[in-house]
Amino acid sequence: MSEPTPADGESAAQEHTPPVNPAVEASKNFGITPEQYMLPASSEIRLLNPDGSAVPESEQGQEPGHEYPMPDTDRLLTAYEKLVVGRRINDQNMALVRQGRMAVYPSSHGQEACQVAAALCLEDDDWLFPTYRDSVAVMSRGVDPLEVMSTYRGDWHGGYDPRQYKVSIQATPLTTQLLHAVGVAHAAKLRGENTVTLAMCGDGATSEGDFHEALNFAAVFQLPVLFLVQNNGYAISVPLSSQTRAPSLAHKGVGYGMASERVDGNDLAALLSVLGRGVELCRQGGGPLLVEAMTYRMQAHTNADDDTRYRERDEVSEWVAKDPITRMQRYLSDQGALDDAASERISEHAEAMAKRLREAMASKPELDPQDLFRFVYHEPTTQLREQAAQLADDLSREEA
Amino acid sequence: MSEPTPADGESAAQEHTPPVNPAVEASKNFGITPEQYMLPASSEIRLLNPDGSAVPESEQGQEPGHEYPMPDTDRLLTAYEKLVVGRRINDQNMALVRQGRMAVYPSSHGQEACQVAAALCLEDDDWLFPTYRDSVAVMSRGVDPLEVMSTYRGDWHGGYDPRQYKVSIQATPLTTQLLHAVGVAHAAKLRGENTVTLAMCGDGATSEGDFHEALNFAAVFQLPVLFLVQNNGYAISVPLSSQTRAPSLAHKGVGYGMASERVDGNDLAALLSVLGRGVELCRQGGGPLLVEAMTYRMQAHTNADDDTRYRERDEVSEWVAKDPITRMQRYLSDQGALDDAASERISEHAEAMAKRLREAMASKPELDPQDLFRFVYHEPTTQLREQAAQLADDLSREEA
Amino acid sequence: MSVSKVSFAKALNTALADAMEASREVVVFGEDVGTLGGVFRITDGLTARFGRERCFDTPLAESGIIGTAVGMAMNGMRPVAEMQFDAFAYPAFEQVASHVAKMHNRTRGKLSMPLVIRIPYGGGVGGVEHHCDSSESYYAHTPGLKVFTPASVTDAYVMLREAIDSPDPVVFFEPKRLYWSTAQVDLDELRSQYENGTLPRREGRAVVAREGSDATLISYGPSVPVCLAAAEEAARDGMSVEVVDLGSVVPYDDETVAASVRKTGRAVVVAEAQGFASVASEIAARTQERCFHSLAAPVLRVTGFDIPYPSPSFEHHHIPSSERILDALDDLQWED
Amino acid sequence: MSVSKVSFAKALNTALADAMEASREVVVFGEDVGTLGGVFRITDGLTARFGRERCFDTPLAESGIIGTAVGMAMNGMRPVAEMQFDAFAYPAFEQVASHVAKMHNRTRGKLSMPLVIRIPYGGGVGGVEHHCDSSESYYAHTPGLKVFTPASVTDAYVMLREAIDSPDPVVFFEPKRLYWSTAQVDLDELRSQYENGTLPRREGRAVVAREGSDATLISYGPSVPVCLAAAEEAARDGMSVEVVDLGSVVPYDDETVAASVRKTGRAVVVAEAQGFASVASEIAARTQERCFHSLAAPVLRVTGFDIPYPSPSFEHHHIPSSERILDALDDLQWED
Ligand SMILES: Cc1ncc(C[n+]2csc(CCOP(=O)(O)OP(=O)(O)O)c2C)c(N)n1
Ligand SMILES: Cc1ncc(C[n+]2csc(CCOP(=O)(O)OP(=O)(O)O)c2C)c(N)n1
Ligand SMILES: [Mg+2]
Ligand SMILES: [Mg+2]
């Protein structure tokens, strides 16, 4: 237990300046109702067309409060590099699974723009809450891919230290992690820290009760949490139309008193802009917020899945044309920010990462069976000590 | 198991005419977006002022799609009688609890208009899903008060036969019953039955995950379920402001693609009109729907609660002036529909009901301890037979 | 009608189809059970054959699945709900414990809950966390639920049919590492025997899966084949080991178990779940209660350790093995 | 500092206040715990004393309460969450089983879950359905959780302090029918002893609540006073009965229990929960495993029946009574 401190009924949080109420400000600035402020723009936010050309301002559907500027080229270039690396890692991992070197991998091939933007919009002290599919986001935030992959190799349930990276475990039970994110944000707020938490989930996951409870807790306690739903159209085999009848998933925000937005999830520029503004709003006390990113999973749910059973190849092909990488690549090339040399350097970087992963996965680490009993409690119970001794005994007899 | 019937991959439901899509119709008729169709009117629907005068049409805020006619006087008179009876039963039950003749009673004193309207808007074949607080709704639907009260006396967990009355058990675990309601509606739809299900819960209960899952399932399967939230401002001691930041609870509907409405929950006329239309829409295939009724619990949460700990007496007094009974009484008197003789007759009816309840509660019924083992399974297991024998043995020895 | 090689998964699939064929009240739903046929393909082909109304995907919400199943059962259906994996049934725990288990009791029998919750469970398939729990004890501890878990291809068919026909709710545990096990079975024959009522019932009946005289292994589900292997091995050492397969954990067959243990005088309970406060504890407790004076040694348990189910690289240490069972048999004070 | 009549509820309330005083990391939340002070008033006065930030009401959602507690614990707090009644903890079951219990293990110890889930449990207070479950077995069966349940006013204080100070998650079961029981206790003295570390630890330690030589009653929580009453009665008949109060169900104190049973040679386990696959089963199973050769009779159990908790008019039949315990003692083959 930490040092006792005098209890005085005052919280650190109370000493801060009152948070902005963006709904009130929006109604002052634009004359819109709080309800209009909370609803998403009438169409998804997009800054880059699928062909890589910038969407003209006039076509961006600039509703009051929903204008988003194009991020500057340097930022886009940094992000683009992560996009390419992310794709390479996704594909490398799928290869490793096919070779039996990894137990399972849920690839985010096609969704890398969401992955990269989720990581890049945060500051070092902010927290990221990813799912099983969000390995690329985790790596983009700086976690060593080898630490990430130990889970999927089957060495342990989790690889990296969540506190060190401010990246939570990759959650499997759907949307349970959104509540953890809210709790982390609540603790930070109680201590008067000014950190933002970004919490991710999929479209299917929005149907779970924990999704509802998380958004509501965040709203009631006015916590700086940015909820990012990657809507890739499917929950394993189940299409969005069997998951919801809402006009959009972003329309769920108003039911919590939360502002929301929809964004083209294959448009890295739009994502950076929308999430960047979202994080800023949260930091100013205007959170929580809900962002729905429209994207597509180009491969099966995991290597164990067969997506030909539930979706047409034509549908998949259509999304090739909306690929987040080619789109950004064309835009940056057109801007003169990405020449052949830069492209080459980025490919090499990605290739080097993949190679490192391949090499690391080629050999199995030494695992100590006694670890099974080490982390159940801080101190093993007598029961666990007995069981540990029994296993040790069994193993030594087996060896003998 | 019932008679085998040929399986043919066709459902009864499929043979029906396609359901109306009221969002589409509204956009045709009024030129509004589906989202506008789904959101509640900008203020709560009210037909009667607290003083019993009719709200002039011009003040009813008739937004397109949100116009509600005044029910006819006969219907109001029938409903009024149930209101008076409901109030009398509420108060009788609280007296019985004070006398130790009942274990607990969550009174709906103040909320009787919601109770009565919920029961009256349904046809015989429709289903009602009440909570612990909704005893008056249950009775208004025709269930014998004595059967209802056996639960609160502590004789058994439930008193009446849910199938006979098409009234589910009074649910205690919050919002679990909304899912049951959805399942009942789904079963009815699969069999091609044209029944509507009305499911009730409180404002606090809307925070539970099951609320979310129930609304979503109903919407995805387009089921004829009318969700009625009685927003009485408190969940035991917790005020609405600690429960949600939404502009209103009705604003949750759009997140499920569901039309919603807010209504003055102490205005029986408005409730009958809004719920009546809701049931009709559901019956035509336009469901599910969400209705939030703004009301107030005039007494403590249950007899075990002390509401002076969490709300000002002034607040409670303010609501006396909005009482649903006096309001309706004045209106009906003004209409000439309620003279002294009619009033007298209604009071006598209520008094007779209360007397019957008092008399029935004066004596404890004979209870058979062996009943403990009779309804766990259809046939008691060997384990239960042994335990039953053991108890019988113990009891006979005690007697000896 | 003819005997052929049938997988455990196919037997389950056939049982579902036959039950749907036998009664329109039977509806199957859950996550990915429709178009995909379930992640284990247990519902494969049902939507094509019986239509989207009778086998369908739900939104992704387990409490929603079980809660609506309760409502369907209230209104005359016999829902068969699939939980995708063991640990993903936990969000539905309130609906199961407070409603599925209690609705019949609460209404003094006025309402029945003839529903089945199918749960693929247990490990041994290299699954990652949350995909390998043995969660049967939670349900077995909840009065009002029946708990079945088949260990053979024939029982997979028969017990699932019994579960669906039961007027009471059944939590049906499918040992996922047996899905791909096979046996020579005549499913047509089995179907007609089941439907004629000429098959002995499995509910509440343990079966002696192997006869023996020196000791009894009491087990169920995925541990039964391990026990049979251990008994085989023991036989090579001259020890005659009886194996009892519960199949029906609730209701529990005291008679068959006690008869075996009274005969052999020694017993080991084998189950994959963590042992503390589990079904294995119950079996040990009631076996000594009933057979104390026939016992030459305490009733021992070989179970998973009291740890969260481990990652794939470690699971072989955790799952009761033939060796651990043989060790336990050795520990049964044979000198007595 | 002085001895005075202190209620079980007051001891809990004081433990919470003292823990909050001792560390700013301790935060208390749940349904109605703020302004109202909890439906049992266990959190009475905490909001007034420590502010709305440290003792507060949440939205009405148990999974939300436990899920956010997990996040708070990840981020340096020591949350103490109240579940309003036993059966209303079920919606949080997934968060408890899949995260609270496993986060430390999953992260190889990188994250700790120093949180406490307080659950008022058990019957005997005339409560209606869902307000009387004894649900400790679900949690005791879940590795990674500790499970405490005090039976005396002193233990109420001490064990709640230990629970809050534990680096591991503790499900803390408060026997609601003991809330209004009282004892002569010096809370100030207890506080300073606890804080000085001069009190013996209760975690993992069973205590002999009454010494005896003929038989052992093993029990915990609300059943301990019943066991003491039964032992008193038995003494009048010349039987010397020892009563062991576990207090800490997980970790379990094998040593104290086994020592007692080896001494007396006879044991009855008493618990209010339905018996099947329960903590009582575990105690019986491990007691015979460890004490078989000292036992003159099987280890018996006196528990609630395997039925849903009954309505108020019936509960006295269900709750283990002194008479049922005495009957069980009689059954312990005294002629042996
Ligand atoms: C509580 C829970 N139920 C079921 C599952 C099994 N499951 C894993 S992923 C998945 C689909 C999730 O879909 P979505 O949220 O859209 O995310 P995506 O996989 O498309 O990224 C399912 C059903 C789970 N992990 N957790
Ligand atoms: C799942 C669950 N959690 C907690 C409770 C305890 N409880 C009973 S009523 C209540 C407040 C409900 O408030 P609301 O939904 O507004 O309904 P009201 O009582 O105001 O009619 C609470 C917390 C419960 N019954 N079920
Ligand atoms: Mg998806
Ligand atoms: Mg309320």
Side-chain angles (χ1 to χ4, degrees), chain A residues 1 5 156 191 210 213 378, chain D residues 24 63-64 75 105 165 168:
Chain A
M1 205 119 190
T5 52
W156 199 263
R191 280 198 302 267
D210 275 3
E213 300 189 12
H378 282 72
Chain D
R24 280 198 77 89
S63 187
N75 202 4
N105 184 260
D165 285 348
D168 301 308

Side-chain angles (χ1 to χ4, degrees), chain C residues 118-130:
Chain C
R118 293 181 38 244
I119 306 185
Y121 84 121
V125 298
V128 291
E129 208 192 0
H130 309 290

Side-chain angles (χ1 to χ4, degrees), chain D residues 64-332:
Chain D
I65 293 168
I66 303 302
T68 56
V70 167
M72 287 205 184
M74 286 174 70
N75 202 4
M77 308 302 270
R78 291 180 172 267
V80 182
E82 174 173 305
M83 300 279 95
Q84 200 161 79
F85 285 89
D86 29 72
F88 306 142
Y90 301 151
F93 195 70
E94 180 187 33
Q95 287 287 351
V96 176
S98 290
H99 293 300
V100 174
K102 301 196 173 110
M103 195 63 89
H104 181 70
N105 184 260
R106 170 183 298 139
T107 59
R108 294 180 66 90
K110 302 280 173 28
L111 292 181
S112 298
M113 286 287 113
L115 61 84
V116 177
I117 304 174
R118 293 182 38 245
I119 306 186
Y121 84 122
V125 299
V128 291
E129 208 194 1
H130 310 289
H131 294 73
C132 307
D133 284 10
S134 287
S135 51
E136 68 277 13
S137 302
Y138 297 127
Y139 304 94
H141 180 58
T142 306
L145 301 177
K146 290 176 175 171
V147 176
F148 295 178
T149 178
S152 72
V153 174
T154 300
D155 276 355
Y157 180 88
V158 175
M159 298 199 79
L160 185 49
R161 297 282 325 249
E162 287 190 14
I164 296 172
D165 285 348
S166 168
D168 301 308
V170 179
V171 188
F172 192 83
F173 281 95
E174 304 174 0
K176 56 175 102 59
R177 73 167 181 271
L178 300 186
Y179 273 147
W180 303 280
S181 66
T182 57
Q184 294 293 328
V185 173
D186 184 340
L187 280 176
D188 293 325
E189 177 65 20
L190 210 52
R191 173 186 309 111
S192 57
Q193 287 184 338
Y194 178 79
E195 293 182 355
N196 296 339
T198 53
L199 271 187
R201 294 195 34 95
R202 275 301 262 118
E203 178 181 324
R205 294 261 193 87
V207 298
V208 175
R210 176 189 175 110
E211 303 226 6
S213 52
D214 295 334
T216 303
L217 297 176
I218 312 166
S219 188
Y220 57 87
S223 300
V224 172
V226 188
C227 288
L228 289 171
E232 189 63 38
E233 188 118 345
R236 272 182 238 128
D237 294 348
M239 201 192 295
S240 167
V241 175
E242 183 146 307
V243 178
V244 176
D245 170 7
L246 294 182
S248 169
V249 174
V250 180
Y252 182 83
D253 182 353
D254 276 308
E255 209 178 297
T256 303
V257 176
S260 173
V261 176
R262 288 200 189 106
K263 179 178 76 175
T264 62
R266 288 174 166 84
V268 177
V269 184
V270 183
E272 184 175 315
Q274 61 274 17
F276 200 89
S278 68
V279 168
S281 324
E282 179 63 32
I283 300 172
R286 58 199 305 125
T287 300
Q288 62 88 33
E289 275 163 10
R290 278 148 210 266
C291 309
F292 187 75
H293 294 288
S294 315
L295 283 172
V299 180
L300 298 184
R301 290 179 285 169
V302 176
T303 67
F305 302 120
D306 289 313
I307 61 173
Y309 194 88
S311 55
S313 306
F314 288 96
E315 65 176 341
H316 59 290
H317 296 306
H318 181 69
I319 298 174
S321 60
S322 187
E323 293 76 50
R324 277 174 63 201
I325 296 170
L326 290 168
D327 284 350
L329 286 170
D330 276 348
D331 288 346
L332 290 175

